[in-house]
Amino acid sequence: MVRVDKKGRKGEFKELTAKDVVYMVLPVISIAFLLLLWYLVSSRRPDMFPTMEAAWKRLMLLMEKPVMRVSYLGHILYSLKRVVLALLSAIILGLAFGIVIGWNKKLDCFFGTVFNVIRPIPPIAWVPLITIAFGIGEFSKVLVVFISAFMPIVVNTRASIQNVEEMYLDVGTLFDASKSQMLWEVAMPSAIPGIIAGIKTATSAAWMAVLAAEMLGAKSGVGFLVSRGMDGNDMALVLVAMITIGVIGALLSVFTSFVERLLCPWMKIK
């Protein structure tokens, strides 16, 4: 099928198939099912699970009356600010460390062993030590988020560098490429998809970690709204904060996928 645009240029028009329609309808059905489940549960136990109307009213009240003198949008921005600061630091340091231990086997044996021991420790487990060392200020929250984002970036970067196909390295050797040229002109371009995947994982981990850090000790942020609702038995506020967490997390996922398409246009990304 051929279509003609306003400037007279011809182009192909892709017709929707039955499979395309199914893939478009299924997300709508899943959201409708979730809303139906919300309605059924809240209608039976409104004291435990607020209704849609109660959640909407609480959201409107939250916009009119700030919590701890911080608006609803302000709490979201505080959480995002902590994530961005920690994530940028984790990307810079994580990429550097991952490249070093992924490219140099001796350094990998020396540093990689310690890293493999520390890596399984959950970021929240660091909270007591960080609190004792740095208090409960802003730096402590960012540091917890940094740890959660740093680990997947290092893991994916190291694995991507180490798993570069030998054929690519052999071609570099054939053209007498130096070791630095082999790294930056052969290994790194091949490792980009894996590195981007690690950054995507780190973004999700950072968002979850900042919410946990804010629930443990903060006066702003979306995680703080959850703990504030729990302390005041305000389940509508808890639900509003949870929905906000889910929506922002989904938007972050869409954003990182968009960046992945820009940096890796040759890959088929869903």
Side-chain angles (χ1 to χ4, degrees):
M1 185 174 181
V2 179
R3 63 177 177 86
V4 180
D5 60 15
K6 294 181 179 179
K7 294 183 179 181
R9 295 176 299 188
K10 294 183 179 180
E12 294 184 356
F13 181 80
K14 184 179 179 181
E15 294 183 350
L16 289 177
T17 63
K19 182 183 291 186
D20 294 329
V21 174
V22 170
Y23 287 143
M24 293 172 62
V25 172
L26 284 178
V28 178
I29 295 176
S30 66
I31 294 175
F33 176 77
L34 182 62
L35 293 175
L36 177 61
L37 184 63
W38 181 4
Y39 172 77
L40 293 175
V41 174
S42 61
S43 61
R44 293 188 177 186
R45 293 294 304 275
D47 57 328
M48 181 186 71
F49 205 87
T51 61
M52 297 181 187
E53 182 181 2
W56 177 257
K57 289 182 179 179
R58 188 64 184 89
L59 176 60
M60 295 298 102
L61 181 62
L62 182 60
M63 291 183 175
E64 294 177 2
K65 296 183 179 180
V67 178
M68 295 295 292
R69 299 181 181 180
V70 180
S71 65
Y72 174 64
L73 180 59
H75 285 290
I76 295 175
L77 292 178
Y78 269 112
S79 295
L80 289 176
K81 177 184 176 182
R82 291 162 183 149
V83 169
V84 170
L85 288 175
L87 192 59
L88 289 177
S89 302
I91 290 174
I92 295 172
L93 298 178
L95 285 179
F97 185 64
I99 292 171
V100 167
I101 63 176
W103 189 248
N104 191 302
K105 291 184 179 180
K106 293 181 180 178
L107 293 178
D108 185 32
C109 291
F110 184 79
F111 291 107
T113 304
V114 177
F115 176 77
N116 289 332
V117 173
I118 297 176
R119 181 171 59 88
I121 302 175
I124 302 302
W126 292 94
V127 171
L129 292 177
I130 293 175
T131 302
I132 294 173
F134 304 104
I136 58 173
E138 197 68 17
F139 178 77
S140 297
K141 300 176 186 62
V142 175
L143 184 56
V144 172
V145 182
F146 168 82
I147 293 173
S148 66
F150 180 78
M151 299 301 176
I153 292 176
V154 174
V155 170
N156 278 53
T157 302
R158 177 174 66 172
S160 299
I161 294 293
Q162 291 177 342
N163 293 330
V164 174
E165 293 188 18
E166 289 292 334
M167 179 181 65
Y168 299 153
L169 300 177
D170 292 339
V171 171
T173 303
L174 184 64
F175 285 93
D176 295 326
S178 63
K179 196 166 184 179
S180 62
Q181 288 177 322
M182 292 278 283
L183 173 61
W184 297 110
E185 298 180 18
V186 179
M188 284 301 295
S190 177
I192 286 177
I195 293 173
I196 298 298
I199 294 175
K200 290 178 65 176
T201 303
T203 303
S204 299
W207 181 240
M208 290 186 289
V210 73
L211 299 170
E214 289 171 349
M215 290 177 66
L216 293 174
K219 294 183 179 180
S220 62
V222 184
F224 166 73
L225 293 179
V226 175
S227 60
R228 182 63 177 263
M230 292 172 57
D231 295 339
N233 198 26
D234 189 350
M235 298 309 298
L237 178 59
V238 173
L239 187 58
V240 168
M242 290 175 61
I243 294 174
T244 304
I245 291 168
V247 171
I248 295 176
L251 292 176
L252 288 174
S253 177
V254 171
F255 176 74
T256 52
S257 296
F258 174 74
V259 173
E260 186 175 16
R261 289 190 183 95
L262 291 178
L263 296 179
C264 307
W266 62 88
M267 293 183 62
K268 185 178 179 181
I269 304 169
K270 296 182 179 180

